[in-house]
Amino acid sequence: MDAQKEALRRIISTLANKNEELQNFLGTVDRTIIGLQDESCKVTSELELEMEKLSSALEEKGVELREAIVEETQRKKLELQKQLSDGKFALLSCEELLEFANQTLSISNEEEFLKAAKEIKERVTMAPAFRLTTRPAVSESMAKYSVDFSMERSALQRLHFLLVPKAPEIDISSCIVCDNIISFTWQPSNDAACATSRPTECYDVEYQKTDVNGWQKPAGETPWEKICDITDTKVTISGLKFDTCFTVVRVRAKNKMAAGEFSEPVTIETRAYNFSFDATTAHVDLKVQGDTVTWEPQGVKSHDPRLKGKENKSSSRSATPSPNKTAAIRAGRDRFSGESYTVLGDQDMIGGCHYWEVRPLADWKSLTVGVAYRASLGRFDQLGKSSGSWCLHASQWLQSSLAAKHNNRSKALDFLIPQRIGICCDYDNGDLLFIDIDRLRLLHSFKAKFNQPLVPAFTVWYGGVSIATGLQVPSFMENFLSRTQSLTNLLQ
C-alpha cells in the first residue's frame, strides 16, 4: 500500500510539473499571438508611412519637373514674342520706305529726285529690316525635357520587404559563468543572399533572469535587458547579481536597415546564495531597509554603557519613551534585545558553498559579521559568545581593533580594518573564511563541523552595514579554500 501511494505521489508530482509546463506554454502562445498582432499592426503602419513618403516624393518630383517645363516654355515665348514685335516694327518701316521709293520714281525734277534718292539710301542703311535676323531666336523643341521612367517603374515594381539577416546560433559550449560574469559566442547565419545584399553590421544581445528552466516566459517575469550594437560575435555580461536560478540569453543580427529574428534562447544556470535581512529578528534599535541595516536608537541610549557620559543631558521624559510607545516598537520583535544589536539573514545554509560581502557604512563604531545556528541564539545572546556562532568583530570605538570570535573566545587579528569583507562558508567541509576583498588577504578562517542550519548574522552598533548577495563564490576563493583544508583553527 505504501509503495503504491509513493508511486502515485510521483505520478501526481510529474503531472503537476507537466501541468505547470503546459500552463506556461499556453501563456507563452497567448502572449505570442498578442505580440504577433501588435507587430503586424506596427509593420503595416510602417508600410503605410513608407508608401506615403514614396507617393509624396513622386508628387514633389512631378511638381519640380513640371515647373522646369513651364519655366523653359515661358523663356522661349518671351524671346519669340520680342522677335515678333521687332519684326512687325521692321516690316512697317520697310513698307513705308518702299512706298516712298515708288513715289520718288515719279519725280521729274532732277534736283528733287537726287535729294529723295539720297534720303532713301540713308534710310535703307538704317532700316530695322536689314538689321533684324530672320531666324527664330529659339526653336520649338522641348526634347531635353523628355522623360522615360521605365527603369524607375521597374524599380517600383521590385519594391519588397527588407532582406533582414537570419538568426545567429549561440554556441552553447562557449557559455561560461564565472565571478558573476556570463560570456558566450555565436555563429553568424550563412544566408548568402542576405550577406550579399546587406551584410550584417552588428548584433543585439538580450538576457533575462528567471527561475524557470525553459524557453517559456511565465507571466510577470522580468523584462529583457539589452546590449545593443555589438560588432563582435561574442559578449561578456558583467556586474550581474544572480538572484534567480537561471539567465536566458538570445542574440539577433542587424544590418544597416533592419534587425533579424532572435536566436533560439539558451538557458544558463546562475545559482548563487541570496538572502536579505530578516527584519523580524532585528533588534528594536536596528533599522532594516533593503540591503542595509543601520543602528537608530529609539531614545533609550542610556542602557548601553558605551554611551554613558557621551550623550547630551536631557530630561528623562525626552530620553525614555512611554511604555505604550515601547510596547508598540517591540510589537512583533521576538528576537534580539538588550545590548545584542543583532539581525539575522533570512535564508538557511544546509549544504554547499556560499559567499556574500559586507561593507561598513560611514561613521560606524562597532560591527560583527559571521554565521550562527538560528536556533542557538537567545534574545540577549551576542555573536561569538556561544558555541553556535562564528564571527569577525571590528571596532573603531576608542581604538581600532579586529578579532575573530567563537564560543566566548577571541583572537586578535593584526590587520587593518577592511572596507569590504568577503565571507565564504563551505558548509560541507566546515570552512568559514573572512577575506579583505580590496587587498585579497585572508583575515581569518574557522574550521568546524556544521550540523544545523546556518544563517548569516550581523551585529551593528552606531552606524550600519550593507550586504551584497547573489554572488557566486569568486574564483580567487579557490586558493584560500585549498590552503585551509588541512588547517584547524586553535579557537575550535
Side-chain angles (χ1 to χ4, degrees):
M1 183 72 174
D2 291 341
Q4 286 83 355
K5 282 186 176 181
E6 183 60 31
L8 183 58
R9 288 191 187 96
R10 287 197 296 270
I11 292 173
I12 291 172
S13 176
T14 302
L15 288 173
N17 290 336
K18 179 56 69 174
N19 181 64
E20 182 180 1
E21 181 182 341
L22 288 173
Q23 286 180 342
N24 288 336
F25 170 72
L26 293 175
T28 300
V29 173
D30 285 338
R31 287 188 292 275
T32 303
I33 292 173
I34 295 172
L36 175 62
Q37 186 63 36
D38 292 342
E39 192 68 16
S40 176
C41 292
K42 176 186 174 184
V43 295
T44 301
S45 298
E46 291 175 351
L47 173 62
E48 294 298 333
L49 180 60
E50 287 299 316
M51 295 299 291
E52 287 178 8
K53 289 180 179 178
L54 188 59
S55 176
S56 176
L58 286 172
E59 185 61 33
E60 290 176 2
K61 180 53 71 174
V63 169
E64 178 186 336
L65 296 178
R66 292 186 194 98
E67 288 179 350
I69 293 173
V70 169
E71 288 177 3
E72 181 66 5
T73 302
Q74 289 178 343
R75 183 187 71 79
K76 286 190 172 187
K77 280 177 105 176
L78 286 173
E79 291 197 32
L80 290 171
Q81 285 172 352
K82 184 177 183 303
Q83 271 195 308
L84 184 62
S85 175
D86 293 344
K88 286 180 178 181
F89 177 75
L91 179 60
L92 179 61
S93 174
C94 186
E95 288 176 345
E96 290 178 352
L97 187 58
L98 180 60
E99 183 181 355
F100 179 59
N102 287 329
Q103 291 175 355
T104 303
L105 287 175
S106 62
I107 297 175
S108 57
N109 187 288
E110 183 179 0
E111 184 180 354
E112 290 181 1
F113 176 80
L114 292 174
K115 182 179 178 182
K118 182 180 179 182
E119 181 181 348
I120 290 171
K121 184 178 180 181
E122 291 176 352
R123 288 177 65 182
V124 166
T125 303
M126 301 299 296
F130 294 97
R131 291 184 286 113
L132 182 69
T133 178
T134 55
R135 291 181 57 189
V138 293
S139 71
E140 74 277 11
S141 173
M142 296 287 284
K144 70 175 184 179
Y145 292 96
S146 301
V147 293
D148 179 7
F149 292 145
S150 56
M151 292 180 60
E152 288 75 6
R153 250 191 327 273
S154 298
L156 285 172
Q157 290 169 350
R158 291 194 301 270
L159 288 179
H160 208 271
F161 301 108
L162 292 172
L163 286 174
V164 298
K166 290 189 176 181
E169 182 178 356
I170 295 177
D171 182 2
I172 298 178
S173 64
S174 73
C175 298
I176 299 174
V177 181
C178 182
D179 294 337
N180 284 75
I181 295 173
I182 297 175
S183 60
F184 58 93
T185 64
W186 56 87
Q187 296 296 327
S189 167
N190 294 322
D191 187 356
C194 185
T196 302
S197 60
R198 295 191 186 276
T200 297
E201 293 188 348
C202 59
Y203 300 89
D204 289 343
V205 168
E206 293 189 351
Y207 62 95
Q208 178 195 56
K209 297 179 180 181
T210 180
D211 285 315
V212 178
N213 184 6
W215 63 269
Q216 296 95 343
K217 179 183 176 183
E221 282 288 291
T222 55
W224 291 96
E225 300 288 339
K226 305 177 188 295
I227 305 175
C228 299
D229 302 329
I230 302 170
T231 56
D232 205 346
T233 56
K234 60 183 178 181
V235 71
T236 298
I237 309 172
S238 58
L240 295 172
K241 179 179 180 179
F242 289 168
D243 49 5
T244 57
C245 296
F246 305 96
T247 298
V248 182
V249 297
R250 62 185 187 181
V251 61
R252 67 178 178 182
K254 295 194 302 185
N255 57 29
K256 188 175 182 179
M257 301 304 297
E261 294 282 345
F262 277 102
S263 65
E264 284 295 316
V266 173
T267 302
I268 302 172
E269 187 172 1
T270 52
R271 297 182 187 274
Y273 183 48
N274 281 278
F275 71 90
S276 300
F277 292 114
D278 185 355
T280 63
T281 67
H283 188 282
V284 66
D285 288 346
L286 296 183
K287 180 181 179 181
V288 173
Q289 192 169 15
D291 294 334
T292 301
V293 59
T294 53
W295 184 74
E296 296 186 7
Q298 304 295 317
V300 287
K301 297 180 182 179
S302 58
H303 75 272
D304 194 312
R306 287 170 291 189
L307 288 176
K308 288 182 179 180
K310 299 293 182 181
E311 58 184 351
N312 294 328
K313 293 182 179 180
S314 58
S315 65
S316 60
R317 180 178 180 181
S318 62
T320 306
S322 67
N324 291 337
K325 182 177 180 181
T326 303
I329 292 171
R330 294 183 180 276
R333 307 258 190 182
D334 57 354
R335 288 297 293 171
F336 298 99
S337 299
E339 295 180 22
S340 182
Y341 302 107
T342 302
V343 61
L344 303 179
D346 62 356
Q347 296 296 322
D348 291 348
M349 292 176 281
I350 57 175
C353 195
H354 310 275
Y355 178 82
W356 63 99
E357 293 181 0
V358 180
R359 287 178 180 267
L361 301 181
D363 299 328
W364 67 276
K365 296 300 181 187
S366 175
L367 62 88
T368 305
V369 295
V371 298
Y373 294 141
R374 183 184 291 274
S376 70
L377 295 176
R379 293 183 63 187
F380 301 97
D381 288 343
Q382 297 181 6
L383 298 181
K385 292 191 175 182
S386 67
S387 61
S389 61
W390 298 258
C391 62
L392 184 75
H393 174 74
S395 175
Q396 293 186 135
W397 180 253
L398 301 180
Q399 62 181 9
S400 295
S401 63
L402 193 65
K405 293 185 176 182
H406 169 63
N407 201 19
N408 207 26
R409 298 173 66 184
S410 176
K411 179 182 179 181
L413 304 176
D414 189 18
F415 296 115
L416 296 174
I417 297 175
Q419 295 303 307
R420 187 159 59 120
I421 303 170
I423 303 172
C424 183
C425 178
D426 187 345
Y427 187 98
D428 299 326
N429 290 319
D431 292 317
L432 178 65
L433 285 70
F434 297 90
I435 307 294
D436 182 342
I437 298 301
D438 295 327
R439 300 177 178 87
L440 285 183
R441 173 188 296 160
L442 177 64
L443 300 172
H444 188 73
S445 63
F446 288 103
K447 192 72 176 178
K449 292 183 179 181
F450 301 126
N451 53 25
Q452 297 181 40
L454 285 171
V455 290
F458 310 84
T459 296
V460 178
W461 178 77
Y462 206 102
V465 297
S466 65
I467 56 173
T469 67
L471 303 176
Q472 290 184 300
V473 178
S475 54
F476 63 75
M477 286 301 305
E478 184 176 348
N479 294 329
F480 293 119
L481 287 168
S482 61
R483 286 192 316 212
T484 59
Q485 292 300 319
S486 60
L487 298 178
T488 302
N489 195 283
L490 295 177
L491 295 177
Q492 303 300 313

